[in-house]
Amino acid sequence: MGRRWLPSLSALRGFEAAARHESAKQAAEELSVTATAISHQVRALEESLGVSLFVRKPRQLELTPQGRELQQVLETAFDNISNTLERISGSPCRQAITLSTTPAVAVRWLLSWVCMLRDAHPDIDLRIHASHEPVALDGVTADIAIRYGDGRWPGLVAEKLLDNTFIPACSPHLALNDPAQLPQHSLIHFRNQAAASAPIDWAAWQKQANVPGLDVSAGLVFTDETHAVSAAVGAQGVALMSRQLIEDELREGRLVQPFGPELEGKPFFLVYPESRKNDPTIRAVRDWVMAVPGGLCSL
């Protein structure tokens, strides 16, 4: 058999996806690349073949006769390859998906329940991206995210997960029960300069509480919420924390809420691209997150 001549397989795959969707943007979302990359791949393929594969319209790609012929051959070929690989591997093809969230939400709420997703969908490989900075849900950095905010992010579906009520919390060993005692103890702060928006802090709390002699700039400062919680449990001071993220410590008595006021912060939402709302892997992870105990749906 003579040596086969084939153009770039990446270009063929990019063209097939663009032809099937009649859109470079949707092809890019499927393949986790940019629309510009898809356009470059298709252009390179057209140049190598010496034919036009698309008639480019403002909002749509329309296949030429040559493009339609190639698309039909590639679709059949890729389907056959996928079916054969699945059959000889003896197991379904695995799907990887990246969920982005804050470190505290990952550690203190989500990770204990990964077993629920694994049991329901053993073919899905979950990757956790822990960051205070919102990242692009472009299929490269992340696919789906848990964010706190007002629930309005253009192009994204946002489903409310958790309320976010901030309360003073400390070890019961401090025997604290009156706001007037607060200046005698260290304040525990969580501050992360990389975060797009800061959570409620002691300065905001003091505006409502107006405790005499309280210096809201002093105390222990942590850039990780989980470290702030550990310091509070260790009786190192009083923290202002999201009650939803310290439910275990409050229930077990390792932390107590000695007094108010309570401040309502921005709630947590599960968000994912509108264009991928029917993606089976997105739907599977969405259903798992919405069912995790402690969230609004589970309640």
Side-chain angles (χ1 to χ4, degrees):
M1 180 182 293
R3 184 172 180 269
R4 292 189 181 93
W5 175 83
L6 288 174
S8 163
L9 290 178
S10 294
L12 291 174
R13 191 178 180 210
F15 162 75
E16 190 277 332
R20 183 160 27 87
H21 291 291
E22 298 183 338
S23 166
K25 180 181 178 182
Q26 293 183 35
E29 291 170 352
E30 176 183 322
L31 300 179
S32 298
V33 296
T34 65
T36 301
I38 294 292
S39 296
H40 287 167
Q41 289 174 347
V42 172
R43 290 286 188 189
L45 182 59
E46 289 176 322
E47 290 176 2
S48 69
L49 296 176
V51 298
S52 294
L53 299 173
F54 288 113
V55 176
R56 290 162 175 83
K57 296 185 175 181
R59 296 182 179 275
Q60 184 181 8
L61 295 176
E62 182 178 299
L63 285 164
T64 64
Q66 295 92 335
R68 176 65 63 190
E69 181 179 357
L70 179 60
Q71 187 267 337
Q72 291 172 348
V73 170
L74 290 176
E75 185 173 8
T76 299
F78 288 149
D79 285 345
N80 288 340
I81 292 170
S82 177
N83 293 336
T84 299
L85 290 174
E86 185 171 334
R87 186 175 64 254
I88 66 176
S89 69
S91 61
C93 293
R94 305 194 64 79
Q95 298 292 323
I97 186 168
T98 300
L99 185 152
S100 179
T101 188
T102 68
V105 169
V107 172
R108 307 195 61 77
W109 184 64
L110 202 60
L111 293 185
S112 295
W113 303 99
V114 170
C115 56
M116 292 170 53
L117 177 65
R118 186 169 58 246
D119 290 345
H121 299 280
D123 58 322
I124 292 178
D125 293 326
L126 180 67
R127 299 168 181 170
I128 299 292
H129 177 278
S131 172
H132 291 287
E133 186 74 23
V135 298
L137 303 185
D138 55 6
V140 179
T141 306
D143 302 279
I144 189 169
I146 297 173
R147 295 178 179 172
Y148 57 88
D150 58 13
R152 295 193 295 270
W153 292 282
L156 300 180
V157 177
E159 300 185 71
K160 189 176 178 181
L161 278 178
L162 296 167
D163 288 319
N164 203 15
T165 306
F166 285 79
I167 63 172
C170 64
S171 167
H173 296 298
L174 295 187
L176 191 61
N177 53 40
D178 188 325
Q181 300 172 286
L182 196 51
Q184 304 167 24
H185 298 273
S186 293
L187 298 184
I188 297 174
H189 305 266
F190 161 63
R191 296 177 189 150
N192 192 292
Q193 300 302 319
S197 60
I200 290 174
D201 58 15
W202 278 112
W205 183 88
Q206 172 69 342
K207 285 182 181 180
Q208 289 198 23
N210 196 25
V211 176
L214 182 63
D215 183 357
V216 296
S217 64
L220 296 169
V221 180
F222 295 92
T223 58
D224 189 303
E225 290 166 280
T226 58
H227 297 165
V229 174
S230 296
V233 170
Q236 300 304 306
V238 186
L240 188 68
M241 298 297 301
S242 170
R243 179 166 58 201
Q244 286 71 23
L245 296 183
I246 56 172
E247 287 286 359
D248 287 347
E249 286 79 7
L250 292 171
R251 183 175 56 253
E252 296 165 4
R254 288 181 288 147
L255 288 177
V256 296
Q257 179 186 349
F259 41 70
E262 300 180 358
L263 302 181
E264 289 299 323
K266 294 178 179 179
F268 288 97
F269 291 84
L270 179 69
V271 297
Y272 47 91
E274 174 76 29
S275 60
R276 296 185 65 189
K277 64 182 180 181
N278 295 320
D279 183 312
T281 308
I282 291 284
R283 297 299 300 176
V285 174
R286 177 262 176 206
D287 292 347
W288 162 62
V289 173
M290 298 300 285
V292 168
L296 295 179
C297 285
S298 67
L299 294 177

